[in-house]
């Protein structure tokens, strides 16, 4: 009798469920929508593909982190973009007991790095080479940080080891953490309007690198040893003397997906896009002003060969 | 003798102050001299792992707790299901239409009410109150929603309000009545209400999601938790302040207990109860942003999404939609209760009596039947939709380009001469001394009980290892509250002496309180960059309201005879204000400052979004890391700070009132 | 004529404070005033015993805080006496159940309050019909009875007004009407007219006497105002610090005050206007003087007659001679 209510509900709902077709269940599979264009595109593509396979799909706006509670309980089923960099803790926390599963990489890699607008190149011609950072630290300074350069890092929750990086590479810079990415890009927008100096954490795929012209700083490339072994790299006594890793973007799902809609699970697992492709799609929406639906429909018609293999 | 005591008091205060300053300046030296670093920083290995246990407990509750035949989660899911049903009905009626089937297979059986019908219904309700200004206001508000293309989202939001407000009001009323009847219950409920009001919503978002499922219902429940406490409080207050003669009269008329309650006590206290309803509506609309993060959709989601895309204009328009919705609903509900009672007419037929309602009904049915044929009815034509977002964007851009430097120097001045000293002060005082001071203050105002409360609550903050963050919280709130009071009290005085100013300020303040802070947070970041200053500005804007309101109320409510007496004594208006009105309004002003502090603290979590390093950030981090225990514990710390502040200020205010014989 | 007691109070005490019952028990149910004060109790009623007779108007007087309201509330059991017994028509009010109490209140008691205690959300007629409404009487029937009452208290035409649309006097008429709606046998009035100005008060007193002469109820009436008391009372109770210091007719109180407190109470009164001839005449069934006065006439009305005639004969309502009164008696009465 433990599941008294569950039984009660199922009786209640049987009345509503229509005839079962080829797919395992006609109950809607819930995919979460977040608030950046790339994610909307990936999720909509996945949704369209699942529909083609005959599944019922529902798109639910949800918070990037808060959605995990829903995935865990089976209220939500698929989240299409979980970035290694920003979602690692949540993934670890919730996949631990198996109720949320990592369905593998989307095939896209996130780039995250120090970034500056092109107009700053005049004041600091040495860029994008990181060794130029110290020479023009002052050009990037604000009253609070002067004479050090000001680097606007991501929210502390994103990690990123920027404080350690500044130390290890002996940079005359101060790291200020924004609280959210909204704040991060609000500052960028503001500085860009005034053509004022700014150096900040930008990630891609995102609309910002397409809206604003600018470049990522070239740090010594990341390796695993760089983060773990102090003796690696330029600074022999310190780790983190290199750039940031380029982490994959994961797909995660509720374990319910595999149990209830195994075919859909396979389709989600098979889904891949690559970063360039995504960059173009995002630009088409954010810069050319097309709607997400139109861009996705376009993609669907020109890539039938690809997605049809996902739902085999 | 008396002056002696007063002198002693003064000397004691002076001494405490000196010690505090010495400790603030030389705390580090003293600590290193005694080799007792713990004075400055509470040692890590003594930190109590309370958050870990909390996490474990919540996990157990969710996954294992059962009541025999059904588990805890079955219960919560059942409650969610119960709330879901009326919500779905309303949502279908005004927003989504009645659907059969699921997902893309769904077919619409019946369309939702047209925007024309909804506006007609609402405006008719306003007409019913016979208040012309209200009719204009309501019509304006809902046409705003249509013309600015916010209709669909606002109907989603309205659906959740239509459910959350009555549920909150009814539960609040029942709890209020129960605690009126049982003093024991009152004692139990009161601190729980404190926590409900002061623990930041982010702190319990995850447990709620787990319990009630991801979706609008969880959002509804979070909204109800947050908005209900004032209803309980006002109910209790209203019942307690009923003239005992009225109650006796009910008894002497031979009322049973139930009759006494529903025929006498509740109706008599209706005006006060409505203040509670007003609070529930306002607070519910305050929650729309956070609710949208857990699947409520609607206007909140639009604000959030547009601002994350830096679409300031759209964010602003949507924010204003929330404001007009809030103000319209509030004024409408107030007016509905105060409908001038009409003399009953006898002997008129049912049809005549309900003529208006029947006409309205027919109108709606006609519109409904027409809607499949006329697209105008179904959706407001898109080409008529107004769009001012470009204007707002350009405005911010203009200010940004032309005035950034001025703003920057203003900010730097304020930072160096005002905020940083306060920050250094709070961070510099060793925690044992701070707790001592708190306890002494508690003792001074409220004797043993309050002293004990201060001691225990502040010790909790220490042993959870969150002392430093708590101090940053204090500094941020402290400086915001200082400035908010400096702005709010004069405004309140102005509103108190000038009726017209009062009217204008009321609208202004309602706007500030319901405009989602996110809307102005992003432009403020653009103009002032991330950091404490920006956070402070956001907090000030949000927390200003009670300072104004309570001050105005205090000034207005001074006994007119006292004012006349002062005038006869030859007071100039200035003297009247400073020598009579302000001192007499002081207890009320203190309560206003108290509320300002509460609001400032409740705003903390939002300020974490612009990079502060206080308890708000701790809560936010816990949310992003899905650490239930950490979230709850740091949420509790925020709550405890506000409870300490609340109790001390309230006892202070009561002491003053007592002195003036105003109780 | 044997008088039937309608309501009896036997040794009623009421103390406010912590656990007053135990406290009383500890002191043999008879603590001194000082002990009570010292232990932090408030003595609202101290050992009050009184019988209220059928159809009489019993007025309770005393300074503010002397326990008048509390005594009345003990009688109606709005307040539970600490110890002591109260019998209403031989029913021990302390022993009946809640339900029985409600029944008694619904049919046998009515109460008027100093500050009217009208329900602001109900019209005049709804206020007056309220006691009937809670009994579950249907709308038409109760409004019919209420209309009768409205006529009785002189509020015709205002039945659909709300309390705040009425003057103070009118409001108290509603309060009186409401308390009469159930046709109570025992009628409590707690300073019903003290919130009204003197002219209206006078008018209301007349009104009250008119109603009482029509209805003949047993009435317990609290007032501060001795004039009022004397106009209305059959008997008066004087209370002081919770104690009943004297019960008696108005004449008794003036002529034979039990103590200084009562004396002070009555001292400044215009006695010639309050007392009747009966209370100062010399009893003498055989006097033969021609000029007559009635024994119930107030003294001030006969002063002239006595002074011009030297001495007059006193007769009762049946023109039977009961005594005489002379110049000396009158002047002694007037000037000391
Ligand atoms: N609920 C209560 N709690 C404590 N003390 C009370 C309470 N009710 C009455 N008292 C006290 O009992 C005493 C008698 O009060 P009561 O109201 O009976 O006086 P009263 O003679 O009616 O005065 P007034 O003429 O002002 O109405 C007063 O000292 C009063 O303070
Ligand atoms: Mg009284």
């Amino acid at each position: 009798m433990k599941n008294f209510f569950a039984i009660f509900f199922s009786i209640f709902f049987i009345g509503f469920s229509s005839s079962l077709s080829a797919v395992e269940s006609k109950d809607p599979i819930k995919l979460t929508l977040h608030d950046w264009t790339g994610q909307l595109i990936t999720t909509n593509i996945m949704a369209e593909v699942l529909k083609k396979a005959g599944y019922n799909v529902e798109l639910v706006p949800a918070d990037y982190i808060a959605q995990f509670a829903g995935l865990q309980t089976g209220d939500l089923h698929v989240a299409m973009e979980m970035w290694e960099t920003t979602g690692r803790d949540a993934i670890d926390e919730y996949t631990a007991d198996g109720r949320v599963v990592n369905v593998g990489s989307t095939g896209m890699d996130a780039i995250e790095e120090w970034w500056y607008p092109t107009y700053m190149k005049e004041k600091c011609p040495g860029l994008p080479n990181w060794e130029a950072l110290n020479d023009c630290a002052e050009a990037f300074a604000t009253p609070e940080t002067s004479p050090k350069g000001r680097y606007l890092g991501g929210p502390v929750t994103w990690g990123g080891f920027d404080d350690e990086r500044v130390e290890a590479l002996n940079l005359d810079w101060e790291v200020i953490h924004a609280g959210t990415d909204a704040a991060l890009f609000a500052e960028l927008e503001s500085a860009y309007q005034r053509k004022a100096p700014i150096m900040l954490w930008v990630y891609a795929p995102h609309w910002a690198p397409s809206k604003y012209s600018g470049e990522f700083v070239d740090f010594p490339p990341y390796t695993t040893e760089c983060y773990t072994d102090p003796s690696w790299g330029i600074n022999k006594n310190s780790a983190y003397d290199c750039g940031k890793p380029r982490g994959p973007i994961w797909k995660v799902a509720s374990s319910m997906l595999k149990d209830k809609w195994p075919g859909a699970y396979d389709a989600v697992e098979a889904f891949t896009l690559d970063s360039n492709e995504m960059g173009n799609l995002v630009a088409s929406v954010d810069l050319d002003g097309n709607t997400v639906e139109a861009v996705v429909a376009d993609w669907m018609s020109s890539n039938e060969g690809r997605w049809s293999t996902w739902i085999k | 003798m008396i002056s002696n005591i007063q002198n002693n008091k003064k000397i004691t205060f002076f001494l405490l102050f000196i010690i505090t300053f010495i400790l603030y300046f030389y705390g580090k030296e003293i600590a290193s001299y005694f080799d007792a670093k713990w004075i400055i920083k509470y040692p890590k290995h003594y930190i109590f792992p309370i958050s870990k246990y909390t996490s474990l407990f919540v996990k157990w509750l969710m996954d294992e707790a059962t009541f025999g035949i059904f588990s805890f989660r079955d219960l919560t899911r059942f409650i969610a299901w119960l709330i879901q049903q009326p919500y779905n009905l309303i949502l279908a009626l005004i927003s989504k239409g009645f659907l059969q089937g699921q997902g893309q297979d769904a077919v619409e059986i019946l369309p939702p009410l047209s925007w024309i019908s909804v506006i007609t219904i609402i405006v008719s309700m306003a007409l019913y109150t016979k208040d012309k200004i209200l009719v204009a206001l309501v019509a304006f508000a809902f046409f705003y929603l249509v013309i600015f293309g916010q209709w669909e989202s606002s109907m989603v939001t309205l659906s959740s309000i239509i459910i959350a407000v009555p549920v909150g009001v009814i539960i609040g009323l029942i709890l209020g009545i129960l605690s009126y009847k049982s003093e024991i219950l009152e004692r139990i409920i009161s601190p729980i209400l404190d926590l409900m009001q002061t623990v930041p919503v982010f702190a319990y978002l995850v447990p709620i999601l787990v319990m009630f499922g991801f979706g609008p219902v969880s959002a509804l429940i979070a909204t109800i938790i947050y908005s209900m406490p004032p209803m309980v409080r006002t109910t209790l207050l209203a019942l307690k302040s009923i003239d005992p003669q009225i109650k006796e009269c009910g008894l002497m008329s031979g009322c049973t207990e139930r009759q006494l309650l529903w025929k006498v006590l509740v109706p008599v206290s209706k005006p006060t109860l409505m203040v509670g309803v007003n609070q529930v509506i306002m607070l519910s609309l305050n929650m729309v942003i956070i609710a949208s993060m857990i699947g409520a959709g609607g206007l909140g989601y639009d604000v959030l999404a547009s601002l994350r895309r830096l679409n300031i204009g759209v964010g602003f328009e949507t924010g204003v939609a929330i404001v007009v919705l809030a103000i319209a609903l509030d004024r409408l509900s107030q007016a509905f209760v105060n409908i001038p009672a009409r003399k009953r007419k006898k002997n008129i037929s049912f049809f005549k009596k309900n003529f208006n309602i029947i006409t309205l009904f027919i109108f709606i049915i006609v519109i409904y039947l027409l809607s499949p044929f006329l697209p105008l009815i179904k959706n407001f034509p898109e080409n008529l939709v107004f769009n001012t977002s470009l204007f707002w964007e350009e405005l911010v851009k203009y200010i940004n380009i032309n005035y950034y430097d001025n703003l920057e120097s203003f900010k730097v001045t304020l930072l160096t001469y005002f905020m940083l000293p306060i920050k250094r002060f709070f961070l510099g005082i060793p925690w044992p001394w701070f707790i001592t001071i708190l306890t002494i203050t508690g003792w001074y105002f409220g004797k043993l009980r309050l002293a004990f409360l201060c001691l225990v609550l502040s010790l909790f903050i220490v042993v959870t290892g969150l002392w430093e963050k708590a101090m940053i919280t204090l500094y941020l709130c402290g400086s915001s509250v200082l400035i908010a009071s400096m702005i709010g009290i004069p405004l309140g005085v102005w509103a108190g002496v000038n009726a017209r100013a009062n009217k204008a300020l009321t609208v202004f303040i309602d706007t500030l309180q319901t405009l989602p802070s996110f809307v102005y947070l992003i432009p403020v970041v653009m103009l002032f960059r991330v950091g404490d200053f920006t956070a402070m500005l956001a907090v000030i804007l949000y927390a200003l309201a009670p300072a104004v309101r309570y001050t105005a109320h205090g000034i207005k409510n001074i006994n007119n005879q006292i004012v006349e007496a002062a005038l006869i004594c030859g007071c100039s208006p200035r003297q009247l204000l400073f020598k009579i009105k302000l001192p007499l309004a002081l207890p009320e002003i203190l309560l206003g400052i108290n509320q300002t502090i509460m609001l400032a603290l409740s705003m903390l979590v939002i300020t974490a979004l612009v990079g502060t390093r206080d308890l708000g950030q701790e809560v936010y981090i816990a949310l992003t890391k899905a650490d239930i225990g950490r979230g709850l514990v740091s949420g509790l710390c925020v709550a405890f700070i506000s409870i300490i502040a609340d109790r001390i200020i309230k006892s202070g205010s009561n002491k003053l009132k007592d002195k003036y014989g105003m109780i | 004529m044997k008088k039937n007691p309608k309501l009896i109070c036997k040794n009623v005490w009421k103390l406010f404070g912590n656990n007053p019952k135990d406290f009383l028990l500890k002191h043999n149910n008879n603590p001194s005033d000082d002990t009570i004060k010292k232990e932090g109790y408030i003595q609202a009623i101290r050992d009050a015993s009184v019988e209220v007779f059928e159809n009489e108007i019993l007025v309770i007087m005393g300074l503010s805080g002397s326990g008048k309201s509390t005594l009345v509330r003990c009688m109606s059991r709005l307040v539970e006496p600490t110890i002591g017994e109260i019998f209403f028509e031989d029913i021990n009010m302390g022993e009946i159940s809640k339900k029985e109490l409600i029944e008694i209140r619904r049919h046998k008691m009515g109460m008027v309050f100093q500050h009217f205690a009208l329900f602001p959300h109900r019209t005049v007629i709804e206020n007056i019909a309220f006691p009937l409404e809670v009994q579950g009487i249907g709308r038409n029937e109760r409004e019919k009875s209420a209309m009768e009452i409205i006529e009785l208290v002189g509020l015709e035409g205002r039945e659909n007004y709300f309390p705040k649309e009425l003057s103070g006097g009118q409001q108290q008429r509603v309060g009186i009407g409401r308390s009469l709606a159930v046709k109570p046998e025992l009628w409590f009035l707690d300073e019903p007219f003290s919130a009204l100005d003197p002219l209206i008060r006078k008018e209301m007193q007349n009104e009250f006497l008119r109603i009482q002469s029509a209805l003949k109820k047993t009435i317990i009436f609290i007032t501060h105002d001795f004039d009022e008391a004397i106009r209305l009372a059959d008997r008066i109770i004087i209370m002081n610090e919770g104690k009943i210091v004297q019960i008696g007719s108005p004449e008794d109180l003036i002529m034979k005050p039990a103590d200084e407190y009562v004396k002070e109470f009555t001292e400044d009164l215009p006695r010639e206007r309050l007392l009747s001839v009966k209370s100062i005449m010399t009893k003498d069934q055989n006097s033969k003087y021609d000029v007559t006065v009635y024994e119930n006439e107030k003294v001030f009305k006969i002063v002239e007659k006595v002074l011009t005639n030297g001495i007059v004969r006193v007769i009762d309502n049946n023109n039977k001679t009961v005594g005489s009164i002379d110049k000396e008696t009158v002047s002694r009465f007037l000037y000391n």
Side-chain angles (χ1 to χ4, degrees), chain B residues 150-443:
Chain B
Q150 314 277 2
W151 189 256
E152 276 169 47
S153 297
S154 53
M155 285 307 107
V156 174
T157 298
L158 186 62
S159 313
S160 55
I161 299 293
I162 289 179
I163 298 299
V165 169
V167 172
V169 166
I170 290 171
I171 297 181
L173 190 68
I174 292 174
L175 286 180
I177 289 170
L178 290 180
S179 44
Y180 169 70
K181 290 197 162 169
S182 148
E183 203 160 318
I184 300 176
L185 197 66
E186 187 194 336
R187 289 240 182 93
I188 298 173
I189 284 184
S190 171
I192 296 179
L193 292 181
D194 285 335
L195 292 186
M196 282 165 77
Q197 271 184 303
T198 48
V199 174
V201 181
F202 280 166
Y204 51 80
L205 217 48
V206 176
I208 283 197
L209 283 176
V210 177
M211 279 193 263
F212 298 100
F214 196 100
V217 174
S218 278
L220 278 176
I221 288 175
T223 306
I224 292 168
I225 291 181
Y226 179 70
S227 64
M228 185 195 52
M231 190 65 209
V232 185
R233 293 234 160 85
T234 37
T235 306
L236 187 61
L237 184 80
L239 291 177
K240 276 189 170 171
S241 56
I242 288 178
D243 178 1
Q245 287 194 13
I246 293 255
K247 209 179 142 191
E248 287 177 342
C249 173
L251 283 173
M252 284 308 289
S253 303
C255 283
T256 59
E257 214 153 288
R258 193 188 291 166
Q259 286 174 324
L260 185 70
L261 184 63
W262 294 112
K263 286 189 180 270
V264 178
L265 300 183
V266 172
V268 165
S269 45
K270 204 162 69 177
T272 321
L273 292 181
M274 281 321 284
V275 178
V277 173
N278 163 273
Q279 284 300 300
V280 176
I281 292 177
M282 290 302 188
L283 291 181
S284 296
L285 280 154
N286 257 329
M287 274 288 289
V288 292
I289 298 282
I290 291 177
S292 76
M293 293 172 104
I294 52 177
L299 292 172
Y301 182 78
D302 292 356
V303 170
L304 217 55
S306 57
L307 285 172
R308 291 227 174 127
R309 260 180 259 134
L310 279 191
N311 222 330
I312 300 168
V314 176
F316 184 77
E317 281 179 2
T318 322
V320 172
I322 296 178
V323 174
V324 295
L325 198 58
I327 294 184
L329 289 180
D330 172 60
R331 303 295 192 270
L332 194 60
S333 66
Q334 300 295 323
F336 235 69
V337 170
N338 296 327
I339 288 179
R342 237 148 287 157
K343 322 264 141 144
R344 250 181 309 126
K345 279 180 241 145
K346 273 191 176 160
N347 303 329
I348 41 171
S349 70
F350 172 81
F351 182 76
K352 225 173 188 171
K353 215 155 137 191
N354 297 302
F355 179 75
N356 289 334
I357 294 184
I358 291 169
T359 334
L360 178 64
F361 208 74
I362 292 171
F363 177 78
I364 288 168
I365 289 179
V366 169
I367 292 281
Y368 204 78
L369 292 177
L370 281 178
S371 71
F373 310 106
L374 285 175
L376 166 76
I377 292 179
K378 201 153 189 182
N379 293 309
F380 186 76
E382 218 148 286
N383 49 357
L384 294 182
V385 166
F386 238 70
N387 192 336
T388 57
S389 59
L390 209 60
F391 168 75
W392 299 110
E393 252 144 68
E394 288 300 319
L395 181 69
V396 173
K397 191 169 176 180
Y398 177 80
I399 298 176
N400 185 19
I401 291 174
N402 293 300
Y403 295 103
Y404 187 90
D405 293 334
N406 308 19
L407 292 174
E408 176 86 1
S409 57
F410 170 68
K411 165 182 146 184
V412 172
T413 319
L414 211 59
L415 254 163
T416 26
Y417 296 108
F418 179 70
M419 296 179 70
L420 288 181
I422 298 183
K423 183 174 185 174
R424 253 181 263 127
F425 180 75
F426 275 119
L427 285 174
I429 302 173
W431 61 267
W433 180 248
F434 200 100
I435 292 182
T436 315
I437 287 281
L438 262 185
T439 314
I440 293 175
T441 318
W443 193 79

Side-chain angles (χ1 to χ4, degrees), chain C residues 16 42-44 62-71 114 191 224:
Chain C
F16 288 104
I42 295 170
Q43 162 183 313
L63 298 177
S64 200
S66 57
K68 305 180 297 290
S69 299
T70 311
L71 180 61
Q114 176 175 5
E191 301 190 37
H224 267 140

